Amino acid sequence: MPLRTSYEYLLKALRLFEESELKSEDAQRLSLRAIKTALLSPPHYDFQDLLALPTVQALADSHPVYFELLEIFAEKDLEDYNDFREEHEGFIEKEHLDAEKLHRKMRLLTFASLAASISSREIPYSSIVKALQIPTEEVELWTIDVIRSGLVEGKLSQQKQVFLVHRTTYRVFSEKQWRELGDRIDSWRSVLRNVAITLRKEQANAEAQKKREQDELDRKLANASIGGGTMASGGARRGGGGDRAPRKERNDDDD
């Protein structure tokens, strides 16, 4: 059975436990199995659904090291993961969790957190190098990997030595993220308001110009009408005098 399908079944099973059964042996066993499956599944990067389960929350008392590891993958970064490795030396290997896979996944998650935290949406290569703890020549390779993972969308600018973020996945949508979202909405609202004002001004200018052109046309037509009427009237007067027949004078022979 694929890891993803297995993981979905585990989540469904864990949701069936009653409150009185959260710390039962079966609940704890399935919770640990779900954590391992999520950690080792290559396409799985969202751990919030797992962390929110009451049976998994119960591991904080019975299996605190596993619970700490889950919290790191759900909310924290590579530096926290490295501190965990030092504090619990040999734990990853002892639990057969595949250190290489976990280290790679943690770097990708850290990249996503970095992209979400940059308000300018431009991440300098130097920031990626520091956060992922990699040499500069590997920046492009990790950028390709994080885009393939679906965690981040964007493109590299080799000229500016930055990664331009188009979209990113928020690993934790907390009060900070809500504030950032509110700030962006306010910014978009301001931009749209300015666009609307500009459009109204352009529309008003266009209507005013149209009215000026119409008034000018009406003026020219009125002038043409007045001039034409004057010419017609003068012609009639001249024509009236010229068309009259000469008056015949009466003499005595007409009687």
Side-chain angles (χ1 to χ4, degrees):
M1 181 185 298
L3 284 175
R4 186 175 184 84
T5 303
S6 175
Y7 178 73
E8 294 298 330
Y9 280 120
L10 285 169
L11 289 185
K12 290 179 181 179
L14 289 172
R15 294 188 181 106
L16 296 176
F17 285 98
E18 301 290 339
E19 186 174 356
S20 60
E21 303 173 318
L22 298 182
K23 296 185 179 181
S24 66
E25 183 178 346
D26 285 343
Q28 299 290 282
R29 176 177 54 82
L30 289 178
S31 295
L32 290 174
R33 184 177 172 186
I35 292 176
K36 291 181 180 179
T37 302
L39 291 173
L40 296 176
S41 177
H44 192 93
Y45 296 99
D46 183 8
F47 297 90
Q48 290 296 323
D49 53 351
L50 185 58
L51 187 62
L53 291 175
T55 54
V56 174
Q57 288 286 329
L59 292 177
D61 296 325
S62 60
H63 296 79
V65 180
Y66 258 110
F67 188 75
E68 181 183 354
L69 180 62
L70 176 61
E71 285 186 312
I72 290 172
F73 274 83
E75 303 172 353
K76 301 181 181 180
D77 296 331
L78 181 61
E79 187 174 351
D80 299 296
Y81 176 71
N82 289 337
D83 291 342
F84 173 90
R85 292 290 307 273
E86 291 181 7
E87 184 179 352
H88 305 285
E89 187 176 356
F91 177 81
I92 299 295
E93 291 75 14
K94 177 184 175 183
E95 296 298 319
H96 307 289
L97 289 174
D98 196 328
E100 185 177 348
K101 283 185 178 181
L102 296 191
H103 198 261
R104 178 182 181 279
K105 180 174 285 191
M106 197 68 244
R107 274 181 166 156
L108 295 175
L109 290 169
T110 299
F111 202 140
S113 294
L114 178 63
S117 67
I118 300 295
S119 58
S120 66
R121 316 305 281 176
E122 291 188 0
I123 310 176
Y125 278 23
S126 58
S127 298
I128 299 174
V129 167
K130 182 179 179 181
L132 273 61
Q133 301 176 12
I134 57 174
T136 304
E137 55 267 24
E138 291 186 10
V139 167
E140 294 185 10
L141 294 176
W142 281 100
T143 299
I144 293 172
D145 283 348
V146 78
I147 292 174
R148 285 176 176 172
S149 72
L151 289 169
V152 177
E153 290 180 6
K155 64 179 182 179
L156 288 169
S157 173
Q158 294 181 338
Q159 182 179 4
K160 297 175 63 177
Q161 291 285 287
V162 297
F163 176 65
L164 306 172
V165 181
H166 297 163
R167 183 197 66 81
T168 186
T169 299
Y170 284 96
R171 296 169 60 199
V172 182
F173 213 84
S174 61
E175 183 180 351
K176 177 183 177 182
Q177 281 70 46
W178 281 114
R179 286 198 302 268
E180 290 176 353
L181 180 59
D183 291 342
R184 288 182 189 173
I185 291 175
D186 289 341
S187 177
W188 294 336
R189 185 184 292 117
S190 178
V191 171
L192 291 175
R193 187 184 299 114
N194 291 336
V195 170
I197 291 173
T198 300
L199 288 176
R200 284 196 293 269
K201 287 182 178 178
E202 291 296 328
Q203 184 178 8
N205 291 337
E207 291 176 353
Q209 179 64 25
K210 183 178 180 181
K211 186 176 185 305
R212 286 194 295 269
E213 292 175 354
Q214 184 63 47
D215 290 345
E216 179 66 15
L217 179 61
D218 292 343
R219 185 183 64 80
K220 290 180 178 179
L221 289 175
N223 291 339
S225 175
I226 293 173
T230 301
M231 291 177 62
S233 175
R237 286 195 299 271
R238 289 192 298 272
D243 291 341
R244 291 174 63 185
R247 184 176 180 180
K248 184 177 179 181
E249 295 183 2
R250 181 176 178 177
N251 52 45
D252 294 337
D253 295 335
D254 290 336
D255 290 337

